């Protein structure tokens, strides 16, 4: 078991995971960690280095050579690759297009999962991604799976002014061999198309209390 409690949140692309996870983290004073950001950062780096994303061996070689740092700083995730914070680049269309290819590579997952697990030694976490409840922290009793109608998710992305290949990413993320996106059998399913963020957080708080999580109010 991790030293600190971990709330694991998985779900489809543009399902509102980040908005919900951030709101839940703020509400209960847990550190919010977006693992998609880490896979996006690695993808951006590979693209900057002109590594062909169709070549998993080249990606594996590069990830074992570069310095990747994941830590918590002032209550937030700080991620650096080759000393650079990839934040300004992670929502670029080319990253949206390439990230599901990079996230299939075993060496990338192995490195990032180990770093994600280490964060739970430092602070209580709300961690979102695709494999948090199934692979990163399968033993946590606090798990949610978020989804919404694909049309609603597509509208959400275009309202954010982003070009995103949601369907394509979902297909690749669900069908890959390494840690595919699935709903853990013990996760609570939430539909972000039918409920507001406040309602989702209220449902989550009830569930967490029923599982015995003590939350300071
Ligand atoms: O959550 P977000 O949509 O930003 O994630 C971007 C991509 O990163 C996903 O489509 C998926 O390919 C990958 N990912 C992953 N495992 C995670 C988090 C994200 O494979 N835990």
């Amino acid at each position: 078991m991790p030293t600190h409690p971990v709330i694991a949140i998985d779900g489809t692309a543009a399902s509102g995971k980040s908005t919900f996870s951030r709101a839940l983290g703020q509400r209960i004073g847990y550190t919010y960690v977006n693992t998609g950001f880490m896979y996006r950062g690695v993808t951006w780096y590979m693209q900057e280095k002109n590594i062909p994303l169709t070549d998993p061996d080249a990606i594996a070689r590069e990830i074992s050579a570069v310095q990747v740092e994941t830590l918590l700083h002032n209550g937030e995730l700080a991620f650096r690759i080759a000393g650079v914070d990839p934040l300004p680049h992670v929502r670029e269309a080319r990253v949206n297009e390439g990230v599901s290819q990079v996230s299939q590579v075993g060496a990338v997952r192995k490195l990032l999962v180990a770093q994600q697990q280490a964060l739970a030694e430092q602070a209580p976490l709300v961690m979102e991604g695709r494999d948090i409840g199934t692979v990163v922290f399968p033993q946590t009793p606090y798990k949610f799976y978020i989804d919404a109608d694909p049309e609603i998710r597509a509208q959400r992305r275009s309202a954010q002014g982003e070009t995103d290949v949601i369907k394509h990413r979902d297909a690749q993320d669900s069908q890959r061999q390494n840690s595919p996106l699935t709903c853990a059998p013990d996760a609570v399913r939430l539909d972000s198309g039918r409920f507001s963020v406040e309602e989702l957080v209220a449902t989550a708080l009830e569930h967490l209390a029923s599982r015995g999580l003590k939350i300071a109010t």
Side-chain angles (χ1 to χ4, degrees):
M1 282 295 269
T3 305
H4 293 283
V6 175
I7 300 171
I9 298 170
D10 293 305
T12 49
S15 57
K17 292 188 304 300
S18 303
T19 310
F20 166 70
S21 304
R22 201 180 290 110
L24 181 61
Q26 270 173 4
R27 173 71 179 72
I28 64 177
Y30 282 26
T31 301
Y32 163 61
V33 175
N34 178 346
T35 63
F37 170 58
M38 301 168 71
Y39 289 95
R40 287 170 177 275
V42 171
T43 304
W44 167 76
Y45 177 78
M46 296 293 162
Q47 289 170 326
E48 283 295 289
K49 297 278 282 186
N50 289 319
I51 307 294
L53 302 191
T54 47
D55 185 348
D57 293 337
I59 293 174
R61 271 196 303 278
E62 196 63 36
I63 199 71
S64 64
V66 67
Q67 191 185 28
V68 178
E69 296 158 278
T70 300
L71 37 108
L72 300 182
H73 183 66
N74 291 338
E76 283 186 16
L77 172 69
F79 180 76
R80 302 279 181 279
I81 184 156
V84 178
D85 180 355
L87 181 65
H89 310 286
V90 291
R91 312 302 310 186
E92 288 171 7
R94 65 171 179 159
V95 174
N96 285 340
E97 261 165 51
V99 65
S100 292
Q101 252 172 325
V102 173
S103 68
Q104 290 180 28
V105 178
V108 172
R109 301 207 73 82
K110 197 169 168 212
L111 178 81
L112 296 188
V113 166
Q115 297 198 347
Q116 291 155 12
Q117 288 169 335
L119 295 179
E121 303 306 310
Q122 297 178 47
L125 305 175
V126 175
M127 185 176 281
E128 65 146 305
R130 299 293 186 290
D131 60 343
I132 310 305
T134 52
V135 174
V136 186
F137 293 108
Q139 66 282 58
T140 181
Y142 317 119
K143 298 182 189 179
F144 298 95
Y145 184 90
I146 308 216
D147 201 358
D149 187 276
E151 268 181 34
I152 294 178
R153 295 191 283 122
Q155 278 165 13
R156 215 173 255 160
R157 269 298 186 267
S158 58
Q160 290 164 338
E162 260 189 59
T163 310
D164 197 351
V165 284
I166 292 175
K167 266 194 206 156
H168 187 60
R169 284 206 286 136
D170 283 347
Q172 280 188 298
D173 293 345
S174 312
Q175 288 159 21
R176 69 185 177 210
Q177 265 193 327
N178 280 326
S179 312
L181 169 66
T182 62
C183 177
D186 53 340
V188 171
R189 282 181 179 267
L190 299 173
D191 184 342
S192 68
R194 293 180 46 219
F195 298 99
S196 68
V197 179
E198 293 73 27
E199 287 169 325
L200 294 176
V201 169
T203 305
L205 291 175
E206 270 175 36
H207 174 70
L208 294 172
S210 78
R211 288 279 167 112
L213 185 68
K214 299 266 179 294
I215 296 165
T217 46

